[in-house]
Structures are given as C-alpha cells and as structure tokens.
C-alpha cells in the first residue's frame, strides 16, 4: 500500500494534536518514497529538536518503515507565528 501525503498529514494532526501540518511528497515520481513535513504543535514546547523529531517518528513508526527519505521541521505555535511574521 502506497503512503500518501494526505494520510501522513491526518495521522500527524491526530497523534500530535498539531495546529498546522504540511506534507510534501518530494519523490521524483511522486511515488510516496520521500516526504518533507512541517509540523506545528504545542506538544513541542520546552522540548529540544531531537525530542520533537522523536515524537514525529513515534507517530509515524509504521509508515517510516516504508519511506526512503524523510525530512522534518518541527515548530511550536509561537515559533510558527514568528516565522510567518513579515521581517
């Protein structure tokens, strides 16, 4: 069964109570082998980057067995607001 960007998005939203999730299939043929995700969750507050990534990895433990490449960016809601703000 092919993994889809939408399926990953829904699972991350549910498992991490995420306020924003963006998932891009970056496979050359859009075949579901490589993904890039941005996850914004209050569950990341007070956690270093490694712990945030472990939370994402734990949420997608089954899917990651079939994904070839996986990039992730994890932000708290406050960090997300700062990043979106005009410079």
């Amino acid at each position: 069964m092919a993994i889809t960007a939408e399926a990953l998005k829904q699972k991350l939203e549910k498992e991490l109570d995420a306020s924003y999730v963006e998932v891009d299939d970056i496979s050359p043929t859009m075949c579901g082998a490589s993904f890039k995700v941005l996850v914004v969750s209050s569950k990341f507050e007070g956690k270093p980057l490694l712990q945030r990534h472990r939370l994402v990895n734990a949420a997608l433990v089954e899917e990651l067995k079939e994904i070839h490449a996986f990039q992730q960016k994890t932000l708290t809601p406050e960090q997300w607001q700062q990043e979106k703000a005009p410079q």
Side-chain angles (χ1 to χ4, degrees), residues 60-74:
L60 301 177
V61 70
E62 291 302 314
E63 292 81 357
L64 289 174
K65 292 175 184 176
E66 298 181 36
I67 294 174
H68 174 71
F70 187 74
Q71 301 173 29
Q72 58 180 295
K73 184 172 186 177
T74 52

Side-chain angles (χ1 to χ4, degrees), residues 8-68:
L8 291 178
K9 180 177 189 240
Q10 289 176 3
K11 189 154 189 191
L12 289 167
E13 287 172 341
K14 179 184 174 194
E15 298 289 323
L16 298 174
D17 195 25
S19 56
Y20 181 80
V21 177
E22 184 178 307
V23 181
D24 294 313
D25 185 341
I26 56 171
S27 311
T29 58
M30 305 297 276
C31 63
S34 301
F35 290 94
K36 177 176 158 182
V37 302
L38 166 62
V39 183
V40 180
S41 174
S42 58
K43 288 190 175 186
F44 298 147
E45 291 184 27
K47 292 187 173 47
L49 186 62
L50 183 58
Q51 284 184 334
R52 294 176 185 196
H53 285 195
R54 284 180 176 159
L55 285 171
V56 171
N57 292 348
L60 301 177
V61 70
E62 291 302 314
E63 292 81 357
L64 289 174
K65 292 175 184 176
E66 298 181 36
I67 294 174
H68 174 71

Side-chain angles (χ1 to χ4, degrees), residues 78-87:
E78 182 180 335
Q79 290 171 323
W80 176 237
Q81 288 304 318
Q82 290 173 355
E83 193 165 292
K84 289 190 329 181
Q87 300 298 329

